[in-house]
Amino acid sequence: MEVSPNVVVGITYELKVSKIEEEIESVPFSVEVRDEEDPFYFVFGNSGLPEKFEEMLAGQKEGEAFQFSLTVDEAYGQAEDDMIMTFPKSQFSSQQGFSEDMLQEGNFLPLLDENGYPMQAKVLKDLGDEILLDFNHPLVGFDLHFEGNILNLREATEEEVETGIVEGYED
């Protein structure tokens, strides 16, 4: 079996990011490691991951190593100003499951979209009665550098293909 549409792919990897500022690229620094104790699983073709990420893994077999980079435009693009919004602080009360320390600048708030799917927003600024949130993906504006291995492959169930959500891994 190889990485192809409707296959559940389990990978281990280290993700490093870098950013170009004033035409100088920063040294890549590690932001995430997924090892054999906590691999990352996704349904190929319905992952919500950048298209180029899937392209780079297509055709690989279980046990194979990979190493590739995605430019900002191939990854999550640049930040969009319309994804930065102000909300009344009252919407983030303890009755809704939020604590005061969750609203600190730099924190990511766990939220649900209008369809009940999990999402997050970064707290940019406490404006007193309001809070400024950034709904851009946390990796916008970064080049992504992946190094890892294809750990497991299996056919996705009909439900996994439909939803893109992996319900667990079984050999």
Side-chain angles (χ1 to χ4, degrees):
M1 179 176 290
E2 64 182 35
V3 177
S4 58
N6 303 329
V7 167
V8 171
V9 180
I11 61 174
T12 59
Y13 65 86
E14 179 177 14
L15 169 60
K16 293 181 179 181
V17 299
S18 62
K19 192 173 220 169
I20 296 176
E21 292 185 31
E22 298 178 22
E23 299 187 31
I24 298 172
E25 185 169 8
S26 66
V27 174
F29 59 94
S30 185
V31 294
E32 184 176 35
V33 174
R34 298 295 291 261
D35 59 19
E36 290 185 15
E37 305 263 323
D38 183 29
F40 175 66
Y41 291 99
F42 64 95
V43 178
F44 189 88
N46 189 16
S47 66
L49 296 167
E51 190 176 311
K52 187 70 173 183
F53 177 86
E54 288 195 354
E55 277 180 35
M56 299 304 289
L57 295 177
Q60 291 206 259
K61 295 177 175 39
E62 199 168 294
E64 289 187 346
F66 59 84
Q67 183 175 358
F68 58 86
S69 294
L70 304 179
T71 65
V72 168
D73 293 332
E74 293 168 332
Y76 293 99
Q78 299 291 347
E80 296 179 28
D81 291 342
D82 63 346
M83 297 294 284
I84 298 173
M85 302 173 208
T86 304
F87 290 89
K89 238 185 186 177
S90 60
Q91 287 186 333
F92 303 97
S93 68
S94 58
Q95 290 83 11
Q96 282 87 23
F98 296 95
S99 63
E100 187 66 33
D101 62 325
M102 292 173 78
L103 303 179
Q104 301 297 314
E105 291 178 21
N107 285 350
F108 285 91
L109 296 178
L111 304 170
L112 298 176
D113 70 11
E114 61 274 359
N115 297 315
Y117 292 107
M119 61 184 296
Q120 63 181 3
K122 183 177 183 179
V123 178
L124 293 181
K125 190 146 186 74
D126 183 339
L127 302 170
D129 291 338
E130 295 182 318
I131 193 162
L132 184 63
L133 300 179
D134 184 352
F135 287 88
N136 282 291
H137 191 283
L139 296 174
V140 297
F142 288 99
D143 290 334
L144 309 181
H145 311 277
F146 291 92
E147 185 173 347
N149 291 287
I150 306 295
L151 187 63
N152 307 102
L153 299 173
R154 70 164 168 82
E155 290 295 325
T157 65
E158 283 184 37
E159 186 176 339
E160 288 170 331
V161 170
E162 200 173 292
T163 64
I165 299 170
V166 177
E167 292 298 330
Y169 187 82
E170 293 143 40
D171 291 305

